[in-house]
Amino acid sequence: MALYKNTKIIGNGEQTIVLSHGFGASQIIWDDMLPFLQERYRVVLFDWEFSNKDVDSSKYTFEILSEALISLLDALEVRKVIYVGHSMAAMLGYIASIQRPDLFVHLVLVGASPRYLNSDDYEGGFERADVELMLSQITSDFHAWAQVLVALITGIDHPASIEKLSRSFLAMRPEVAYSLASDIFLKDRREVLEKVETPCTIIATTKDFAVPVSVGQYMQSKIKGETTLEIVDTEGHCPQMTAPEKFLEVFERILLSRMIIKDTKNKTMGVNGTSVNIMSS
């Protein structure tokens, strides 16, 4: 059974952008970005199949999901994509880029972390006891756990985002949520960073309960490929939902710095319709 569903391709343009959501979410987290993107790019959207009825929850690991991402891009016959991965999906992107660098021209990693646990020389954001408590809550009261986590992820009072995320989190099977959360929060994938050669942009927020800014700084120092760190001045783990204007301002700057933005008539344009002359990387 495929680990992704609801695949769609929208928009116009020669360059393909792939939008990949994180743990418990769905493609609705990108809704506020689509009017901007689909006028200039070919945009691929899909949902990770967290509600899969397959009883084998052990398949929900980063390595297997990265292979599924590669299979999806191969099936769509797309190459040299700009991959935008949020949270868990950011890490899937960098693992996939090591295996198949031909598929990616740039990685945009939103709320990314290779390790969530603190250690003596690293601030991941969580103590092991915190993670173990969270995992026990998934099995004891899944509904309550999801509601609390969504509030923490949102970070600010943003009812529309809370409602959307709550709906998608509660659509997960508890077994899948437990398997994925264990893989996300207990594994250490820092050693993979030095193998990533695809150019990257890391996007963090000024206050994210799950991923301190120091994690983005650490990743920037370790990733082998050319890497920049952009900070969105907002709270929360989902700036594309809760602060879309600020997020798009940063995102547009990334695109402009990496390549030409085109309108539907293939004129070289900026986001407000003003001409730009930026050399493609």
Side-chain angles (χ1 to χ4, degrees):
M1 187 176 291
L3 296 181
Y4 52 82
K5 62 180 181 178
N6 302 330
T7 303
K8 62 184 72 169
I9 300 175
I10 61 174
N12 301 289
E14 299 174 3
Q15 176 65 57
T16 300
I17 292 182
V18 177
L19 302 178
S20 181
H21 68 81
F23 175 56
S26 70
Q27 61 186 261
I28 54 96
I29 69 168
W30 309 112
D31 284 353
D32 290 317
M33 297 180 61
L34 295 183
F36 167 75
L37 291 177
Q38 65 187 0
E39 291 184 1
R40 299 161 175 85
Y41 297 93
R42 184 177 185 231
V43 182
V44 175
L45 296 152
F46 67 98
D47 292 322
W48 290 111
E49 176 58 296
F50 298 133
S51 60
N52 200 320
K53 298 302 186 290
D54 191 331
V55 296
D56 183 12
S57 60
S58 65
K59 66 178 57 176
Y60 291 89
T61 67
F62 276 37
E63 289 68 32
I64 293 174
L65 290 170
S66 296
E67 292 174 3
L69 173 61
I70 291 171
S71 296
L72 171 62
L73 299 184
D74 278 339
L76 296 176
E77 298 183 344
V78 294
R79 298 289 184 274
K80 302 294 184 182
V81 306
I82 301 171
Y83 176 82
V84 186
H86 177 240
S87 194
M88 172 198 78
M91 301 299 97
L92 301 183
Y94 80 52
I95 294 172
S97 76
I98 296 169
Q99 298 172 350
R100 289 286 304 279
D102 61 300
L103 296 177
F104 307 92
V105 70
H106 196 80
L107 304 177
V108 181
L109 311 174
V110 186
S113 176
R115 176 178 167 86
Y116 286 85
L117 292 177
N118 298 325
S119 61
D120 291 340
D121 59 347
Y122 175 83
E123 180 189 6
F126 292 84
E127 298 296 335
R128 178 169 287 273
D130 299 328
V131 173
E132 290 176 351
L133 176 61
M134 177 184 67
L135 293 174
S136 69
Q137 290 171 338
I138 292 175
T139 56
S140 64
D141 193 338
F142 177 72
H143 189 277
W145 165 81
Q147 297 285 8
V148 171
L149 186 61
V150 165
L152 290 172
I153 286 173
T154 307
I156 59 176
D157 184 16
H158 198 273
S161 297
I162 292 173
E163 192 276 331
K164 286 181 179 180
L165 285 173
S166 294
R167 190 166 60 245
S168 61
F169 265 81
L170 290 171
M172 281 195 295
R173 288 177 50 238
E175 299 90 339
V176 171
Y178 183 90
S179 178
L180 259 178
S182 299
D183 200 47
I184 291 168
F185 289 100
L186 293 177
K187 294 288 183 65
D188 184 351
R189 294 183 169 86
R190 288 178 294 173
E191 76 285 350
V192 180
L193 296 175
E194 62 186 19
K195 301 176 184 178
V196 179
E197 298 188 3
T198 303
C200 300
T201 301
I202 301 163
I203 299 182
T205 65
T206 49
K207 186 179 180 181
D208 181 345
F209 102 99
V211 184
V213 172
S214 59
V215 172
Q217 295 167 338
Y218 176 88
M219 292 179 65
Q220 183 184 20
S221 72
K222 297 295 183 180
I223 291 175
K224 185 175 182 179
E226 177 189 351
T227 304
T228 58
L229 174 63
E230 296 277 355
I231 308 295
V232 180
D233 184 17
T234 189
E235 295 185 17
H237 192 59
C238 302
Q240 68 273 47
M241 296 183 73
T242 58
E245 291 183 358
K246 291 181 179 180
F247 184 85
L248 275 173
E249 180 181 348
V250 171
F251 193 73
E252 181 197 10
R253 185 164 65 247
I254 294 167
L255 298 180
L256 285 169
S257 69
R258 298 304 307 177
M259 61 204 62
I260 297 170
I261 287 184
K262 296 180 179 180
D263 70 2
T264 55
K265 296 180 180 179
N266 291 324
K267 295 177 181 177
T268 306
M269 304 292 287
V271 68
N272 295 317
T274 57
S275 296
V276 295
N277 183 18
I278 298 176
M279 184 175 295
S280 175
S281 62

